[in-house]
């Protein structure tokens, strides 16, 4: 199956990487597509968060001119946990 049209480019790249593996293993059914979509979106969020941190640095200045850890670390942590859960559901661990 093709990735959903509204997915981010990063999520679509993950879809194109993992769906052929699931199809080859014969473990992908129509009922699993939602789980695959969630896994790919979480994986895409990880890539986007890492790119933001790489671009801006690990610490950024907030509007009060205080140095704070990049807010993308929260996204990275949440997306990593979510991707891990969906990967386990799909047998991708």
């Amino acid at each position: 199956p093709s990735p959903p049209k509204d997915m981010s480019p990063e999520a679509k790249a993950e879809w194109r990487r993992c769906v052929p593996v699931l199809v080859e293993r014969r473990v992908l059914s129509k009922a699993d597509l939602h789980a695959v979509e969630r896994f790919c979106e979480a994986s895409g969020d990880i890539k986007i968060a890492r790119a933001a941190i790489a671009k801006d640095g690990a610490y950024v200045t907030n509007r009060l001119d205080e140095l704070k850890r990049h807010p993308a670390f929260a996204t990275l942590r949440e997306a990593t946990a979510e991707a891990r859960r969906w990967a386990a559901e799909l047998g991708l661990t």
Side-chain angles (χ1 to χ4, degrees), residues 71-83:
F73 277 107
T75 300
L76 180 60
R77 185 174 43 257
E78 292 167 14
T80 299
E82 186 174 345

Side-chain angles (χ1 to χ4, degrees), residues 2-78:
S2 299
K5 293 178 181 168
D6 61 343
M7 277 186 150
S8 70
E10 294 82 3
K12 285 181 181 179
E14 185 62 24
W15 180 284
R16 290 185 187 105
R17 186 191 72 78
C18 75
V19 168
V21 172
L22 295 170
V23 169
E24 182 180 320
R25 292 180 185 172
R26 297 178 186 252
V27 295
L28 184 64
S29 71
K30 287 184 180 182
D32 298 320
L33 292 179
H34 177 76
V36 174
E37 188 174 344
R38 298 286 80 79
F39 169 73
C40 293
E41 287 177 345
S43 296
D45 288 345
I46 290 168
K47 291 177 186 176
I48 291 167
R50 285 183 177 165
I53 294 165
K55 176 183 171 272
D56 302 334
Y59 292 88
V60 295
T61 305
N62 66 12
R63 56 188 153 92
L64 300 175
D65 208 27
E66 300 168 327
L67 194 60
K68 298 286 184 176
R69 194 166 190 210
H70 199 296
F73 277 107
T75 300
L76 180 60
R77 185 174 43 257
E78 292 167 14

